[in-house]
Amino acid sequence: MTARVPAANISESDLHYHIELAAPGLKKEDFKLSLDRNVLSVNVEQQKEQSQGQKSYNKREFSYGSWVRSFTLPDSANVEQIDATYNDGILMIDIAKREEAKAIRRQIEIK
């Protein structure tokens, strides 16, 4: 069996960085998020379900395994404010920006 690494969408707003990982079929307990310096790692270790009886398969495509996906965060990320939720097969991670990195918008008067 080969490990499948989920696809990721990465976006940015004025206040946060957003990472979405497509990881259907998992439970939130299967995920472990860790931060080492400015590298955010998402680890999954999914155990093969043990059944009481022995089944004989003609073909088996359900896979169980582990994978790691790592993201290097920019210096403007506030690593003290990272939130994660898992809903409908999507792991969503929001990383706040440092106050000085937030976009400042204002009108500038022309003289």
Side-chain angles (χ1 to χ4, degrees):
M1 286 188 212
T2 60
R4 290 182 238 166
V5 178
N9 290 335
I10 301 172
S11 61
E12 177 181 355
S13 68
D14 289 343
L15 303 177
H16 293 89
Y17 297 102
H18 309 280
I19 300 172
E20 298 173 328
L21 289 172
L26 300 173
K27 296 176 274 194
K28 71 177 185 176
E29 296 81 20
D30 293 330
F31 295 95
K32 288 191 172 73
L33 275 70
S34 61
L35 185 68
D36 183 10
R37 299 181 193 198
N38 66 333
V39 177
L40 176 68
S41 295
V42 180
N43 296 282
V44 166
E45 286 195 33
Q46 189 180 25
Q47 301 298 319
K48 182 177 177 181
E49 294 180 11
Q50 299 295 326
S51 61
Q52 295 292 345
Q54 295 289 345
K55 281 187 180 180
S56 176
Y57 292 95
N58 291 333
K59 184 174 186 172
R60 188 167 188 176
E61 293 184 349
F62 289 7
S63 64
Y64 302 92
S66 61
W67 50 261
V68 177
R69 189 81 200 255
S70 296
F71 303 91
T72 301
L73 302 180
D75 292 334
S76 57
N78 184 346
V79 296
E80 300 298 324
Q81 293 182 7
I82 299 175
D83 295 311
T85 57
Y86 181 68
N87 191 20
D88 294 332
I90 305 292
L91 177 66
M92 294 172 279
I93 304 168
D94 289 319
I95 304 131
K97 289 183 178 180
R98 293 180 188 270
E99 195 62 38
E100 62 271 11
K102 293 178 182 174
I104 298 173
R105 294 177 190 223
R106 63 184 177 102
Q107 292 286 36
I108 300 172
E109 183 182 338
I110 301 173
K111 296 180 185 180

